[in-house]
Amino acid sequence: MNEKIALARKVVIAALVITALAVNLGAFTRLVDAGLGCPDWPGCYGHVLWPTEADEVIAANQAFPDTPVEADKTWPEMVHRYFASAVGLFIIGLVLLCWRNGPRKLSIGLLFMVLLQGAFGAWTVTLKLWPQVVTLHLLGGFTTLALLWLLFQRLWRFKWPQNSGLVALKRLAVVATVAVVLQVALGGWTSSNYAALACTDLPTCHGYWLPTADYQEGFDIFQEIGPNYLGGQLDNDARIAIHFSHRVGAIVVTLILLTLLLKVWRAGDHLARRWVLATGLVLGAQIALGLSNIIFALPLAVAVLHNAGGAALLLCLVTLDHRLFTMTTNAQHAAVEQRA
């Protein structure tokens, strides 16, 4: 095996771990209202880390009188930024390692994605948590994680043997992936507009199966940039529209995924059925976490795990898509396993 590819395999695993932590640290930062814990970028009140000493805090408060230092919000923001920066360094390393013998285009795509993520991170602060940017920043994090997972699949040459029954499920698998991405986007829009608790009862919303809601305002993606979106600026009917749409989206995604899981189980071998079991567990956990967010009024740990569950579900779909679109004959599959 090429030494650079062998090293790239180790680097991509490290990058996946760091990126998963960065994505969930981002969720934690958002959920503890620390997105503006540092009002400047890329530093924090002019510091490489964050102000800790009494004189540093006084100076920071004088420099930023509208956003005084809150110690419990500065460190989550900066720790998230440093993890995100580490992701960038790992991806630069992957580009160099994959330049000649690895998936070069995919690694370059990852580099552009992480650079765009850096821009979204800066705009999140400078545009004061504008929901459009916060949601795109979340999607960018999930995209980076998904692309790294795809690179991991390709570097390790994971494949399934040819199966005509499974090949016929390509379109449904893509539909399921798109549905999960849209649901993640809805989740990001729900969180960035502080609509997670717009409905506090189950299975109805404020006692109604179809609650009064303002969908036009709730999904106005062309809304003007306000002075500060911390806490949100939408009225309750608009937030209900967002929250209720996320609930409906969860039902739709669940039905699509259950259909896909059943078809893969019927058509697949032991490898495909292992994927079904793993994905079914992730889906069940994600449903339970989503319900718990409502029942227990958005506990921090549950909300962060719900974010992680969305990422895990996306990776399950990326895995299936990769397997279906790279199927080999039995002879090719044996040769790939031998090389790996």
Side-chain angles (χ1 to χ4, degrees):
M1 184 192 301
N2 184 291
E3 290 184 4
K4 286 189 176 180
I5 296 302
L7 180 57
R9 287 182 171 187
K10 297 176 182 178
V11 173
V12 77
I13 291 173
L16 275 167
V17 173
I18 297 297
T19 304
L21 289 171
V23 166
N24 289 293
L25 277 168
F28 175 82
T29 300
R30 184 171 64 254
L31 289 162
V32 296
D33 294 330
L36 295 179
C38 299
D40 50 339
W41 191 93
C44 186
Y45 291 95
H47 292 258
V48 174
L49 292 176
W50 55 85
T52 55
E53 303 296 331
D55 58 328
E56 294 174 343
V57 172
I58 292 171
N61 289 338
Q62 291 174 344
F64 298 89
D66 295 329
T67 52
V69 175
E70 295 182 69
D72 59 333
K73 295 184 178 182
T74 53
W75 71 264
E77 172 68 5
M78 286 307 292
V79 170
H80 172 60
R81 290 185 193 180
Y82 277 106
F83 268 86
S85 299
V87 172
L89 294 176
F90 275 107
I91 289 176
I92 290 171
L94 284 169
V95 171
L96 296 175
L97 290 169
C98 295
W99 188 258
R100 289 189 178 276
N101 301 306
R104 180 168 62 180
K105 291 182 180 179
L106 180 54
S107 63
I108 292 173
L110 265 166
L111 180 59
F112 278 111
M113 191 67 241
V114 82
L115 291 173
L116 183 60
Q117 270 297 86
F120 281 135
W123 294 332
T124 296
V125 176
T126 58
L127 297 180
K128 309 295 185 184
L129 303 182
W130 195 35
Q132 286 85 330
V133 170
V134 175
T135 303
L136 287 172
H137 193 39
L138 170 72
L139 286 174
F142 275 57
T143 301
T144 303
L145 186 63
L147 290 176
L148 276 169
W149 184 248
L150 180 59
L151 181 60
F152 171 74
Q153 305 292 315
R154 293 187 61 181
L155 285 172
W156 285 87
R157 298 172 179 170
F158 292 125
K159 294 180 185 292
W160 283 350
Q162 191 74 26
N163 181 318
S164 59
L166 288 176
V167 169
L169 299 177
K170 283 183 180 180
R171 183 174 296 179
L172 180 58
V174 171
V175 169
T177 304
V178 172
V180 168
V181 170
L182 291 175
Q183 182 65 0
V184 168
L186 263 175
W189 192 245
T190 301
S191 179
S192 61
N193 282 285
Y194 300 85
L197 294 177
C199 301
T200 56
D201 52 326
L202 282 170
T204 58
C205 176
H206 297 296
Y208 295 94
W209 290 102
L210 289 174
T212 301
D214 188 343
Y215 291 92
Q216 183 174 355
E217 183 184 359
F219 291 95
D220 180 12
I221 62 172
F222 300 106
Q223 58 184 246
E224 294 182 1
I225 301 174
N228 191 325
Y229 279 88
L230 184 63
Q233 295 187 346
L234 300 180
D235 63 27
N236 196 50
D237 282 353
R239 296 190 202 207
I240 288 174
I242 297 170
H243 179 104
F244 191 71
S245 296
H246 188 51
R247 281 195 190 185
V248 173
I251 295 171
V252 172
V253 168
T254 299
L255 292 175
I256 292 173
L257 286 178
L258 288 176
T259 302
L260 177 63
L261 292 175
L262 180 60
K263 289 181 178 292
V264 172
W265 183 271
R266 287 176 173 174
D269 59 8
H270 69 286
L271 293 173
R273 289 184 174 184
R274 264 192 252 169
W275 175 86
V276 170
L277 292 174
T279 305
L281 286 173
V282 173
L283 176 61
Q286 187 66 344
I287 293 170
L289 289 166
L291 294 174
S292 296
N293 274 331
I294 299 170
I295 295 169
F296 301 110
L298 203 66
L300 178 59
V302 173
V304 173
L305 285 172
H306 191 52
N307 184 83
L313 203 54
L314 177 60
L315 297 189
C316 287
L317 271 298
V318 170
T319 302
L320 180 63
D321 291 335
H322 175 262
R323 298 294 198 277
L324 295 183
F325 283 89
T326 61
M327 279 192 162
T328 61
T329 64
N330 288 332
Q332 290 171 325
H333 181 66
V336 166
E337 287 189 330
Q338 187 176 8
R339 285 198 303 271

